[in-house]
Amino acid sequence: MSNFRVDLTNCDIEPIHIPGQIQSHGFLIVIDVDLVIRYYSDNLTDYITNTTFDLLGKPLPDFESLLGSNYQPNFISQLVISGRGSENFERTNPTPIDIAGSSYYLILSASNGYTLLEFEIANSNFDLDVQSMMGKSIAKILSYRNVQQLLDNAAMQVRQIIGYDRIMIYRFAEDGHGEVVAEEKNSDLNSWLGLHYPASDIPKQALELYKLNLTRLIADVHSVPSKISTSANNSDPLDLTYSQLRAVSPIHIQYLKNMGVASSFSISLKYKDELWGLIACHHYSPRFIDYKSREYAKLIGQILSSALEFRQDEDDQRTENIFKLNLEKLARQLMHGDNTESSLTEKEVTILSVIEASGAILVYNNKIYKLGITPGDEQLGDLMKWIKHTVAEPLYYSENLSAIYPESTAYKEIASGIMVSVISRKLGDYMVWFRPEEITTINWSGKPEKHVGLNANGLLQISPRHSFEVWSETKSGLSARWTLAEMSAVIRLKEEINYATNLKAGTARQMNERLKEAYEELESFSYTISHDLKNPIASIKSYAQLLIRDQSILERGQQMLQRIADRADQMNLMINAVLDYSRIGRSSMVSRPVNAGVLIADIVKDLELIYDVSKFKITVGETPELHGDPIMMLQVFSNLIGNAVKYSQYSAPAIVHIEGKKSDDRIIYSVSDNGLGIALNDLSKIFELFNRMENVRDIEGSGVGLAIVKRIVEKHNGKIWAESELEKGSTFFVSLN
Ligand code: ADP
């Protein structure tokens, strides 16, 4: 049925879900919605020897009558009908059935409107043992705190259940290649622990199938698969995505044969819906494991997955909390100390303690302050020249500095990883963190390349590698990866520095103060200009509209006039926005107690008139009282909550949460959403006038709201910042006194 030929160009699209055949350790019957048999596997007659007539086009009960009188006549049909309601028949699977004196499991699954009926031998009297073993296994797996012990033990438990020669836990790296991180094996086998396998060993579509089916058995790589027959007029390839018996891609079979493996079984490990890894099991002679044992093994996989998820989250949280605490301390040092440089480098907490780094420098007012292990002075001088010349983004990082700045090879033991935060490009102020080289010797299982050769027909064809001899590759110049939490910490730190220096403009940077004055002058100038521009723009628009009505002007002219009128409208909107913005700078403000609870409830009510509330979950936590200008506070919250709702409206469901927390000296409000999010490097741009990010192009907006909010907050001597992750959501924080 499938004529697909695998070659160099299409190995990633080989349609492995429609192989047109099944493995021969079971047989298959496929029925349509009306219970009529549409496909069956040719090996059916090996199992039911009394089938002499053609089943295609016959109702399922005709097949059932072949099973003998042990069963009610329509037993299987009823099973199918009752199971169809549940997700992939998990309530009915597996059903024990006797055929000609042997025990089978019937496993049902869905396939594009068809139902697959797969019959596999059941190794009975296995159950009791396995069940009691499972209880112990689970308890054991969960008792380990350390991830490695957890993995080692899971491998051991799986081996006890399925008795394979080798059980490996295979973990995927970010680039898709895999590493054996735990192993349990027969003592006479060589260990593969620590070996790496190239990403191309498992094509994309196979990864997808591992996500959908959590176990996969290849019982005997040397057995001949059985073809699936259908009627001559049916050209639909049968989708075997959810099948247990799905035949194996010829390339994969060859791969296993090259490795000397006769039987393979895998259990998928998922972490937050992504494939974290596989428990890959190899046996060097054919070995069939029945459905129930596979389900038990799957359960171990699921328990391991959730234990991993939990441990990982716990670990991440712990380090993140330490960073956060240090950052808070550093922020306090900045506020209370009168010298930025010494606050950042000489007190209890330094910039070196906010992220995991072995060295850091602060470049401030043309001086370099060194902390921890750093390159030498001359090297730092050159490095800074390079950074000033190359780094345009507010945050820059690399885990392989020597690849982009070869001069750093000389000190790659100290600085293979680098993170740069630009405090002020103009003033030449930077923070730079370093991470040492981690020499990684990657032991590949065979040279990681696919072999391309000529096949029997003289066509180029891919074949999996033949040698799995360990092939070592040493990667140098690489550091450990920078995490998202670390990048956020660095961004936050830079904001704290800006805030502190702005507050102390008078003492620390008088130039800044003068600049501010000039800026204000410019602003009042722009206010006047904007204001004065309104009249001429209104005239442009009116004249354009008058002309549009003039019948003697050709259609093309009319269209151009319409564009002029539209652009005049747009200009008007922008001018209004600038006026709003500069009005905050100019207007005086009152400071009163503001009941934030009432204010937020009103805003939410207004938003509910605009958006479809059924798609939103807006929750409000504590709302401590605020002090400030009531109208301005309304502007702040309606912008932040409005954005949260606007940019999460396509999440299903959109979740927005608002809450305030009171500490000794300030109140911090947060507005969080699970919407589109903001790229890390954009976080410092969103507060600028007219700046809108790439990912929100399809949603209307002017790019002015946050600029206004920031101004208001700063006018109240407060702080505003955001934490966000693309496609996950954002949290905006406002801290007020
Ligand atoms: P506007 O929303 O009118 O575009 P804002 O000044 O309020 O202007 O916001 C500036 C930009 O910041 C937005 O265009 C968007 O890219 C980003 N942004 C603001 N809030 C959010 C949010 N909650 N989620 C994702 N992006 C946001």
Side-chain angles (χ1 to χ4, degrees):
M1 198 183 309
S2 160
N3 295 323
F4 195 87
R5 181 193 295 285
V6 186
D7 68 21
L8 190 58
T9 55
N10 62 10
C11 143
D12 249 6
I13 54 164
E14 180 193 0
I16 56 176
H17 63 300
I18 46 169
Q21 44 192 17
I22 57 164
Q23 300 180 58
S24 53
H25 62 267
F27 66 94
L28 165 77
I29 288 179
V30 181
I31 54 172
D32 65 14
V33 271
D34 301 320
L35 305 181
V36 175
I37 299 175
R38 293 297 175 199
Y39 302 82
Y40 66 86
S41 62
D42 290 354
N43 65 344
L44 183 119
T45 46
D46 298 347
Y47 293 87
I48 305 176
T49 41
N50 55 348
T51 7
T52 46
F53 62 98
D54 184 7
L55 288 171
L56 292 175
K58 304 276 167 28
L60 182 60
D62 281 14
F63 165 75
E64 293 184 59
S65 65
L66 301 175
L67 298 180
S69 53
N70 284 354
Y71 296 96
Q72 302 218 345
N74 292 344
F75 164 65
I76 299 183
S77 305
Q78 275 159 13
L79 201 66
V80 171
I81 294 167
S82 79
R84 268 179 183 160
S86 78
E87 175 103 343
N88 250 321
F89 300 93
E90 75 232 326
R91 273 203 313 250
T92 43
N93 282 343
T95 310
I97 284 196
D98 261 12
I99 303 176
S102 309
S103 308
Y104 285 79
Y105 281 135
L106 165 59
I107 303 137
L108 303 178
S109 59
S111 164
N112 295 336
Y114 294 112
T115 305
L116 309 185
L117 283 61
E118 293 176 282
F119 297 81
E120 284 184 7
I121 292 286
N123 294 337
S124 44
N125 75 30
F126 205 67
D127 275 23
L128 271 179
D129 270 10
V130 175
Q131 249 166 10
S132 73
M133 208 151 80
M134 275 303 290
K136 284 187 211 134
S137 302
I138 295 169
K140 265 210 169 137
I141 291 185
L142 293 177
S143 68
Y144 287 110
R145 301 234 72 194
N146 159 313
V147 173
Q148 188 59 46
Q149 285 174 333
L150 198 71
L151 297 173
D152 291 343
N153 198 50
M156 201 154 74
Q157 304 302 328
V158 170
R159 181 134 189 262
Q160 282 190 13
I161 293 181
I162 64 165
Y164 266 44
D165 291 333
R166 186 197 298 274
I167 314 287
M168 291 167 285
I169 300 194
Y170 185 81
R171 179 182 187 164
F172 292 112
E174 246 168 77
D175 66 0
H177 95 266
E179 180 187 354
V180 178
V181 291
E183 183 186 49
E184 219 6 75
K185 60 169 186 63
N186 274 355
S187 53
D188 57 335
L189 296 173
N190 285 339
S191 170
W192 291 355
L193 189 64
L195 287 192
H196 290 245
Y197 292 76
S200 56
D201 274 12
I202 308 180
K204 270 193 248 125
Q205 69 281 34
L207 289 174
E208 281 311 307
L209 287 176
Y210 281 126
K211 278 203 235 169
L212 296 173
N213 287 322
L214 299 185
T215 62
R216 168 78 167 140
L217 171 70
I218 300 168
D220 180 1
V221 302
H222 297 284
S223 71
V224 179
S226 170
K227 275 217 166 343
I228 299 170
S229 292
T230 185
S231 49
N233 59 359
N234 184 359
S235 58
D236 261 1
L238 181 64
D239 185 339
L240 293 182
T241 297
Y242 293 102
S243 147
Q244 299 290 322
L245 292 168
R246 174 165 52 82
V248 188
S249 140
I251 291 208
H252 190 53
I253 287 279
Q254 192 56 48
Y255 178 85
L256 292 171
K257 282 183 181 166
N258 292 355
M259 240 190 238
V261 170
S263 173
S264 124
F265 177 59
S266 64
I267 309 164
S268 312
L269 298 174
K270 294 211 293 193
Y271 173 62
K272 298 197 170 150
D273 282 339
E274 289 303 319
L275 206 56
W276 181 93
L278 296 170
I279 304 182
C281 317
H282 287 168
H283 204 62
Y284 294 92
S285 53
R287 185 169 177 88
F288 169 73
I289 343 164
D290 79 0
Y291 184 80
K292 276 216 169 151
S293 315
R294 300 205 300 272
E295 288 294 289
Y296 285 132
K298 175 164 113 185
L299 193 56
I300 296 228
Q302 284 167 323
I303 289 163
L304 178 60
S305 294
S306 53
L308 283 172
E309 192 158 324
F310 178 68
R311 298 277 135 83
Q312 188 79 34
D313 284 352
E314 218 179 32
D315 283 357
D316 288 353
Q317 202 55 47
R318 208 172 303 130
T319 32
E320 219 171 284
N321 282 347
I322 296 175
F323 292 155
K324 276 201 168 143
L325 275 176
N326 285 343
L327 195 66
E328 297 293 331
K329 267 193 201 155
L330 203 54
R332 273 197 298 272
Q333 285 174 194
L334 275 165
M335 290 302 293
H336 298 134
D338 38 39
N339 171 306
T340 306
E341 303 88 303
S342 77
S343 302
L344 290 174
T345 59
E346 286 168 12
K347 301 278 163 58
E348 181 194 347
V349 173
T350 67
I351 58 170
L352 190 53
S353 2
V354 293
I355 61 174
E356 188 84 51
S358 45
I361 55 169
L362 169 73
V363 186
Y364 206 75
N365 280 341
N366 298 320
K367 270 209 198 119
I368 296 185
Y369 302 83
K370 293 191 283 185
L371 296 160
I373 305 166
T374 68
D377 290 342
E378 203 174 312
Q379 292 164 332
L380 282 178
D382 291 341
L383 175 66
M384 284 318 299
K385 263 189 222 145
W386 176 79
I387 287 178
K388 285 177 186 170
H389 188 249
T390 346
V391 174
E393 297 290 342
L395 178 79
Y396 173 87
Y397 63 91
S398 163
E399 282 109 17
N400 187 4
L401 181 62
S402 55
I404 31 171
Y405 175 59
E407 286 84 337
S408 71
T409 314
Y411 49 88
K412 63 184 169 43
E413 310 73 40
I414 298 175
S416 280
I418 182 172
M419 168 103 78
V420 181
S421 166
V422 184
I423 303 174
S424 160
R425 205 166 175 211
K426 265 208 192 102
L427 298 172
D429 295 346
Y430 293 83
M431 289 180 283
V432 185
W433 288 264
F434 303 109
R435 258 186 191 165
E437 174 183 43
E438 286 195 345
I439 298 188
T440 36
T441 302
I442 302 189
N443 287 323
W444 292 100
S445 163
K447 232 179 167 178
E449 52 197 13
K450 279 213 173 159
H451 179 74
V452 181
L454 295 182
N455 68 8
N457 306 324
L459 291 171
L460 266 188
Q461 190 169 21
I462 266 195
S463 67
R465 61 186 183 282
H466 287 270
S467 162
F468 291 88
E469 280 293 294
V470 175
W471 181 81
S472 295
E473 180 190 20
T474 307
K475 287 205 171 171
S476 61
L478 289 179
S479 75
R481 282 188 173 272
W482 300 105
T483 65
L484 201 66
E486 290 175 313
M487 296 176 206
S488 304
V490 165
I491 290 182
R492 181 74 208 286
L493 173 59
K494 179 190 147 178
E495 276 159 15
E496 294 290 350
I497 297 174
N498 283 347
Y499 176 69
T501 35
N502 279 346
L503 267 192
K504 292 182 224 149
T507 50
R509 293 198 162 182
Q510 290 186 341
M511 279 298 288
N512 215 355
E513 200 53 52
R514 254 180 269 149
L515 206 70
K516 227 166 144 190
E517 277 165 28
Y519 179 69
E520 272 160 20
E521 225 169 88
L522 199 68
E523 195 165 80
S524 88
F525 178 64
S526 67
Y527 181 83
T528 326
I529 285 207
S530 311
H531 196 262
D532 293 352
L533 276 175
K534 289 190 88 158
N535 279 335
I537 290 171
S539 308
I540 293 174
K541 178 154 187 213
S542 330
Y543 284 117
Q545 276 175 331
L546 276 178
L547 280 173
I548 289 173
R549 280 188 225 123
D550 184 339
Q551 301 295 331
S552 66
I553 295 179
L554 294 177
E555 197 188 332
R556 193 165 148 65
Q558 296 265 1
Q559 281 168 355
M560 289 179 183
L561 285 164
Q562 188 54 50
R563 296 197 70 155
I564 293 176
D566 290 347
R567 289 285 178 268
D569 275 344
Q570 198 184 358
M571 218 154 147
N572 213 16
L573 279 180
M574 288 173 88
I575 286 174
N576 280 338
V578 174
L579 286 175
D580 279 347
Y581 179 76
S582 45
R583 212 169 272 138
I584 297 161
R586 298 154 54 80
S587 64
S588 55
M589 59 170 218
V590 291
S591 187
R592 287 204 201 108
V594 179
N595 184 333
V598 173
L599 181 127
I600 292 167
D602 278 349
I603 297 172
V604 171
K605 233 184 258 158
D606 285 348
L607 286 167
E608 287 174 349
L609 294 177
I610 309 173
Y611 293 91
D612 177 359
V613 272
S614 66
K615 295 190 182 132
F616 279 92
K617 192 167 168 244
I618 305 183
T619 51
V620 183
E622 298 264 298
T623 49
E625 185 173 76
L626 289 169
H627 278 266
D629 186 300
I631 297 188
M632 291 189 185
M633 286 300 121
L634 180 69
Q635 273 177 294
V636 167
F637 282 94
S638 59
N639 269 300
L640 293 181
I641 303 172
N643 278 350
V645 169
K646 182 163 72 166
Y647 295 120
S648 65
Q649 58 183 304
Y650 300 120
S651 304
I655 299 172
V656 171
H657 180 73
I658 307 136
E659 66 174 19
K661 285 209 175 109
K662 198 174 161 107
S663 66
D664 292 346
D665 52 348
R666 55 188 171 160
I667 294 172
I668 300 183
Y669 264 86
S670 63
V671 178
S672 51
D673 66 66
N674 63 341
L676 297 174
I678 301 155
L680 210 53
N681 259 328
D682 288 343
L683 275 179
S684 55
K685 300 181 193 155
I686 53 175
F687 297 104
E688 288 165 17
L689 205 54
F690 298 127
N691 256 356
R692 307 201 68 228
M693 304 309 117
E694 265 316 308
N695 64 331
V696 304
R697 284 282 169 247
D698 298 335
I699 298 178
E700 253 181 56
S702 62
V704 178
L706 286 182
I708 291 181
V709 169
K710 184 164 195 244
R711 263 203 123 182
I712 295 178
V713 172
E714 284 175 356
K715 209 171 158 116
H716 282 77
N717 284 331
K719 271 194 287 188
I720 177 161
W721 70 97
E723 287 174 2
S724 184
E725 198 177 329
L726 266 186
E727 279 157 32
K728 294 263 163 68
S730 317
T731 304
F732 282 81
F733 297 91
V734 172
S735 151
L736 294 162
N737 295 325

